[in-house]
Amino acid sequence: MPSIFSRIIAGELPGRFVWNDDLCVVMVDIRPLHPGHCLVIPKVEVDHWVDLEAETANHLMSVARTVGRAQREAFPCKRIGLLIAGYEVPHTHVHVIPTDTMADFDFRNADPSANSADLDAVADKLRATLTAHGHGGSVAAPPAETA
């Protein structure tokens, strides 16, 4: 059975994508630890990150760095943190999180009912920042408006 991330990547479920290339996607976390929290997810479904092909693992880190730089510009924070936990969904994903303290890594503080408009605004802001820095070719198109 495909993971929830594979289903989102396939378009079966909605996701707020900010990046899409041949190897991975980046989407806004629906339970953010801090405004701007994103997930870098390989398109290939691999449970544990140490089992990824080296090229894919290196690419995820490169994209996380690019997104982290955009987050640092777009969202007030002291640092951009990375976390690979792997317990929530059996599909490798890298959390890229604007942070102010170590407490921002505590999943007990995640927002389980984040406002959809706020999440959309985060995605729009990141897309705009990434595009402004020359990454337009990999920036995911915003979802089409529905009537």
Side-chain angles (χ1 to χ4, degrees), residues 28-99:
V28 175
D29 195 310
I30 62 169
R31 292 176 18 98
L33 293 172
H34 195 278
H37 181 176
C38 289
L39 305 173
V40 182
I41 307 165
K43 289 184 175 179
V44 60
E45 189 172 319
V46 174
D47 180 13
H48 200 291
W49 71 273
V50 299
D51 296 327
L52 289 169
E53 293 291 329
E55 175 187 3
T56 302
N58 291 336
H59 184 72
L60 295 182
M61 289 301 111
S62 176
V63 171
R65 180 175 177 263
T66 298
V67 169
R69 286 179 164 192
Q71 288 170 321
R72 186 173 60 187
E73 182 176 322
F75 302 98
C77 64
K78 291 184 179 173
R79 292 194 172 272
I80 301 298
L82 287 180
L83 180 65
I84 303 173
Y87 291 101
E88 314 88 15
V89 178
H91 185 147
T92 297
H93 53 288
V94 179
H95 294 265
V96 187
I97 312 163
T99 64

